[in-house]
C-alpha cells in the first residue's frame, strides 16, 4: 500500500538554524510530490511541489526540497529558520495514475527566538 | 478570490446524532476532496467528488458516512449516528482539474467533537 513517512515528529530549533525535514514514500511508480504547511489555527497551504524536471524545487518563504528518486525521498530544507516558521509541515504524494493524496503524519516545527 | 470555505468551523454532537459538514470549493473549482485528520495523525483521504459524481470513495468508512456534491450548492459530508471515534478534524480541498499533479487548496477544516 502507498505510504508516506515523516520521521521527525517534533523538531525544535533556534532562529537562524538550518532545517531539514525528512519525507519518504513507498510507491515505486511515477509520483508527484508536495509539501504543505499549516500554521496554528490556519488551513494547509502549499509550500512547493515537484512534478518533473529539476529535482531541486524552490518554494515560498525560502523553502526548497530535493527529490531523490533512488531513495524515494523528498526532504524539505531551509538554510535559516525564523520564528514565524513555527508550524506543522506535511509531505504529500500522489501517483500519476491516482486520485488521492497520501499525506505523512506531519512534523511539528517550533522555532525558538 | 475566496478560498475553500468550510462550515461550521466547530461542531459538537452527541452520540447517535447526525453531523453535516459543508464545503464550498474555490470559484472555478469543480473537484472536491474530503480528508479526515485524527489526533497525532496525518490527513487521510476519504472521498473525491466532481459535480454530481463520486469519483473515488475508497477512503470512506463503509457505514454511516456519505458525501455528495450537487449541481448547485456546497459539497456535504454526512455522518449518521455519530460515535466518539468520529471526533476529528475534517478538511475539504478543491482543485481545478483532477488530482493528477494539481495542488489542492484546503479549507480551514471542521472540528467535530462527539460528546
Amino acid at each position: 500500500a502507498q505510504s508516506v513517512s515523516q520521521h521527525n515528529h517534533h523538531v525544535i530549533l533556534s532562529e537562524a538554524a538550518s532545517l531539514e525535514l525528512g519525507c519518504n514514500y513507498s510507491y515505486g511508480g511515477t509520483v508527484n510530490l508536495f509539501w504543505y504547511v499549516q500554521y496554528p489555527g490556519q488551513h494547509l497551504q502549499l509550500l512547493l511541489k515537484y512534478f518533473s524536471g529539476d529535482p531541486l524545487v524552490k518554494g515560498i518563504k525560502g523553502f526548497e526540497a530535493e527529490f531523490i528518486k533512488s531513495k524515494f525521498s523528498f526532504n524539505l530544507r531551509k538554510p535559516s529558520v525564523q520564528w514565524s516558521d513555527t508550524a506543522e509541515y506535511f509531505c504529500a504524494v500522489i501517483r500519476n495514475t491516482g486520485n488521492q493524496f497520501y499525506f505523512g503524519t506531519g512534523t511539528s516545527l517550533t522555532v525558538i527566538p | 478570490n475566496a478560498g475553500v470555505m468550510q462550515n461550521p468551523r466547530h461542531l459538537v454532537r452527541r452520540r447517535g446524532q447526525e453531523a453535516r459538514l459543508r464545503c464550498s470549493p474555490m470559484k472555478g473549482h469543480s473537484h472536491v476532496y474530503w480528508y479526515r485528520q485524527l489526533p497525532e495523525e496525518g490527513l487521510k483521504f476519504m472521498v473525491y467528488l466532481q459535480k454530481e459524481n463520486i469519483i473515488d470513495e475508497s477512503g470512506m468508512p463503509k457505514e454511516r458516512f456519505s458525501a455528495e456534491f450537487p449541481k448547485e450548492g456546497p459539497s456535504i459530508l454526512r455522518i449518521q449516528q455519530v460515535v466518539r471515534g468520529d471526533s476529528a478534524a475534517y478538511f475539504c480541498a478543491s482543485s481545478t482539474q483532477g488530482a493528477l499533479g494539481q495542488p489542492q487548496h484546503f479549507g480551514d477544516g471542521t472540528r467535530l467533537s462527539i460528546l
Side-chain angles (χ1 to χ4, degrees):
Chain A
Q2 175 75 34
S3 70
V4 180
S5 300
Q6 291 183 243
H7 307 294
N8 315 103
H9 296 292
H10 301 279
V11 174
I12 301 175
L13 294 172
S14 298
E15 274 193 319
S18 64
L19 170 73
E20 181 159 2
L21 302 182
C23 173
N24 289 89
Y25 62 94
S26 62
Y27 181 65
T30 301
V31 296
N32 297 317
L33 300 148
F34 304 80
W35 274 97
Y36 283 86
V37 60
Q38 186 176 27
Y39 297 104
Q42 298 187 25
H43 58 269
L44 278 81
Q45 301 173 42
L46 182 68
L47 268 182
L48 46 79
K49 58 185 184 288
Y50 172 79
F51 294 162
S52 63
D54 189 344
L56 185 60
V57 179
K58 295 196 183 297
I60 61 172
K61 304 185 181 185
F63 286 91
E64 64 178 31
E66 185 176 11
F67 171 50
I68 303 179
K69 189 174 182 180
S70 60
K71 295 184 178 180
F72 299 92
S73 69
F74 190 54
N75 292 355
L76 181 71
R77 299 195 293 248
K78 186 170 183 177
S80 175
V81 294
Q82 301 172 310
W83 175 79
S84 57
D85 293 325
T86 294
E88 190 94 14
Y89 292 81
F90 293 92
C91 179
V93 173
I94 183 170
R95 297 178 295 174
N96 69 337
T97 56
N99 291 316
Q100 58 173 284
F101 276 47
Y102 295 90
F103 282 86
T105 52
T107 296
S108 174
L109 172 65
T110 301
V111 179
I112 302 170
Chain B
N1 190 12
V4 178
M5 304 299 292
Q6 287 188 252
N7 68 82
R9 290 292 304 274
H10 301 274
L11 181 62
V12 179
R13 285 287 178 266
R14 296 189 181 279
R15 282 178 294 172
Q17 292 184 320
E18 178 180 288
R20 291 171 70 88
L21 288 63
R22 295 174 185 77
C23 169
S24 296
M26 284 182 68
K27 188 176 181 180
H29 288 194
S30 59
H31 299 255
V32 166
Y33 310 81
W34 284 94
Y35 294 86
R36 176 166 62 176
Q37 184 179 30
L38 294 168
E40 304 298 320
E41 294 187 19
L43 282 78
K44 294 288 195 294
F45 168 81
M46 298 182 75
V47 61
Y48 162 40
L49 311 102
Q50 294 182 36
K51 284 285 187 181
E52 300 184 277
N53 287 305
I54 297 174
I55 306 302
D56 183 349
E57 56 181 348
S58 57
M60 287 277 272
K62 294 291 187 289
E63 298 177 347
R64 302 188 297 107
F65 284 72
S66 62
E68 62 176 9
F69 189 17
K71 187 176 181 181
E72 301 292 336
S75 175
I76 306 288
L77 179 67
R78 182 181 176 206
I79 311 173
Q80 295 178 291
Q81 298 176 321
V82 295
V83 300
R84 287 249 172 89
D86 297 332
S87 294
Y90 292 82
F91 289 91
C92 171
S94 71
S95 64
T96 54
Q97 302 175 26
L100 297 180
Q102 296 298 319
Q104 297 179 357
H105 299 264
F106 284 82
D108 288 338
T110 293
R111 278 143 185 86
L112 175 64
S113 298
I114 308 302
L115 302 180

